[in-house]
């Protein structure tokens, strides 16, 4: 009898222990780590944290059924794709009492009109980070990536939609263009650029820029500002042709084992003090209005981080291209192996 009781208590104990965890899968360099440890202390929930560097990597992981994640951060168009593929849990909005801090303009977006699956986390855009001590030209255009002077010193994001968006914008097309003739033109341009390319790389390109192994990289605004803080010879520019603007979101993947913990975590991230701490570390804007008074002035007043519409009028949100995605994927695979 005693042994049964012991086993029973052991099982209860283990399952209780398992409940106090949360598996978080986020973009690299997209959180203030002290916010994670403070959450663990405050809620007694241990966070297991893992990172990715593109929406497509996140999608592939979820489609493979691996990871066991409870919280993920897909961009706008990826929320649509994931919702359509039944990869997201519906959120219990009532549990998210801090949603009131979010700017109304960011609620009920076209990619999730009923706010069923996603809560906006950050927003930003893609531009060029470069070394002012190595680049003598004035940079205002994506075309700098085709300048032979910077051969083997340029890096583009390892991100299909970002790379084609850049080429489409140079050619005067939309980032969501689906004309195969335009794709062929973009492909030609990008094949030509490979002569000057060191590597397609999203995360490590920042280190390459810091160590001067690269001079010019395609990079997201906040990630660029994070390295600008480490090296005053790094600058960031918004190219005149435009490119992608995004809203990244907090979601719960289908079948998440710790949904309640996930909702506690999401509500915690929506707290003004927590949001402000994250913004001050990652240098991306968040639609959390109540956080603004606690955001550092140099971030709040920076037009690249909090841009006005005029500055980014040529910037577009990525849309799901439906079946055409596989056509682009084929071109991307070909481009990378070229
Ligand atoms: C985080 C980059 C996320 C921006 N390092 C792209 N959505």
């Amino acid at each position: 009898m005693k042994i049964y009781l012991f086993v029973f208590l052991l099982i209860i104990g283990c399952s209780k222990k398992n409940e106090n965890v949360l598996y978080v899968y986020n973009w690299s360099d997209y959180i203030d780590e002290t916010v994670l440890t403070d959450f663990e202390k405050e809620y007694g929930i241990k966070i297991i944290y893992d990172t990715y560097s593109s929406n497509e990597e996140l999608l592939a992981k979820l489609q493979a059924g691996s990871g066991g994640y409870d919280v993920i951060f897909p961009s706008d168009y990826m929320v649509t794709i994931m919702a359509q593929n039944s990869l997201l849990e519906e959120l219990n909005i009532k549990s998210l009492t801090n949603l009131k801090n979010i700017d109304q303009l960011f609620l009920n977006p076209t990619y999730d009109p009923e706010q069923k699956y996603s809560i906006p986390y950050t927003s930003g855009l893609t531009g060029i980070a470069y070394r002012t001590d190595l680049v003598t030209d004035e940079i205002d255009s994506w075309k700098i990536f085709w300048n032979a002077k910077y051969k083997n010193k340029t890096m583009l994001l390892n991100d299909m939609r970002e790379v084609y968006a850049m080429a489409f914008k140079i050619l005067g097309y939309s980032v969501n263009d689906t004309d195969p003739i335009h794709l062929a033109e973009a492909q030609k341009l990008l094949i030509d650029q490979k002569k000057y390319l060191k590597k397609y790389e999203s995360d490590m390109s920042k280190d390459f820029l810091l160590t001067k192994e690269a001079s010019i990289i395609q990079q997201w605004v906040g990630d660029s500002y994070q390295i600008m803080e480490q090296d005053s010879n790094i600058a960031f520019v918004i190219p005149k042709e435009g490119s992608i603007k995004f809203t990244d979101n907090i979601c719960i993947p289908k079948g998440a084992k710790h949904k309640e913990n996930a909702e506690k975590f999401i509500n915690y991230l929506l707290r003004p003090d927590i949001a402000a701490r994250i913004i001050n570390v990652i240098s991306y804007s968040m639609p959390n209005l109540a956080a603004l008074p606690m955001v550092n002035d140099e971030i709040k007043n920076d037009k690249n981080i909090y841009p006005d519409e005029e500055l980014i009028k040529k910037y577009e949100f990525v849309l799901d291209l439906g079946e055409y995605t596989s056509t682009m994927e084929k071109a991307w695979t070909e481009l990378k192996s070229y």
Side-chain angles (χ1 to χ4, degrees), residues 81 90 107 136 169 302:
I81 295 175
E90 279 191 33
L107 296 179
T136 44
K169 283 300 197 178
D302 194 304

Side-chain angles (χ1 to χ4, degrees), residues 58-246:
L58 166 64
L59 177 64
K61 195 86 164 226
L62 256 57
Q63 281 174 330
S66 56
Y69 299 112
D70 300 308
V71 180
I72 53 170
F73 295 75
S75 299
D76 30 60
Y77 73 105
M78 194 46 74
V79 172
T80 313
I81 295 175
M82 288 180 166
Q84 275 167 3
N85 287 281
S86 307
L87 291 169
L88 299 177
E89 287 285 338
E90 279 191 33
L91 300 171
N92 175 12
I93 290 285
K94 280 204 201 101
S95 72
L96 305 176
T97 50
N98 291 328
L99 194 60
K100 61 177 187 294
N101 299 322
I102 299 296
D103 188 344
Q104 291 287 321
L105 292 174
F106 283 79
L107 296 179
N108 304 98
T110 44
Y111 57 85
D112 184 16
E114 291 169 56
Q115 210 76 61
K116 249 178 160 172
Y117 305 105
S118 67
I119 299 297
Y121 179 60
T122 47
S123 55
L125 37 85
T126 317
I128 301 171
Y130 64 100
R131 293 205 61 94
T132 51
D133 50 353
L134 296 180
V135 177
T136 44
D137 301 83
E138 204 177 299
I139 300 186
D140 66 349
S141 160
W142 290 117
K143 289 186 185 152
I144 195 73
F145 285 101
W146 280 259
N147 187 324
K149 246 194 265 174
Y150 307 109
K151 188 175 162 63
N152 205 29
K153 290 280 193 182
T154 71
M155 296 175 97
L156 296 176
L157 290 167
N158 187 12
D159 187 305
M160 175 180 82
R161 295 300 302 265
E162 291 285 359
V163 170
Y164 285 103
M166 176 192 68
F168 284 148
K169 283 300 197 178
I170 291 174
L171 294 164
Y173 306 136
S174 160
V175 304
N176 298 306
D177 193 288
T178 53
D179 182 337
I181 296 172
H182 295 169
L183 182 61
E185 281 176 58
Q187 188 77 340
K188 192 164 172 283
L189 204 58
L190 292 168
I191 287 174
D192 185 46
Q193 199 282 324
K194 285 204 83 175
K195 294 201 286 261
Y196 315 118
L197 183 76
K198 190 172 200 64
K199 206 173 178 232
Y200 291 115
E201 171 61 53
S202 298
D203 293 338
M204 292 299 290
S205 63
K206 291 175 287 179
D207 296 298
F208 279 84
L209 201 61
L210 284 167
T211 58
K212 302 192 180 184
E213 285 167 89
S215 323
I216 313 168
I217 66 172
Q218 181 190 31
Q219 190 51 265
W220 297 294
V221 58
D223 285 69
S224 303
Y225 273 69
Q226 289 170 37
I227 50 169
M228 278 158 65
E229 260 174 37
Q230 296 172 49
D231 189 333
S232 59
N233 288 315
I234 297 176
F236 178 81
V237 69
I238 295 181
K240 61 182 178 202
E241 298 92 349
S243 186
I244 288 173
K245 59 179 176 184
F246 57 83

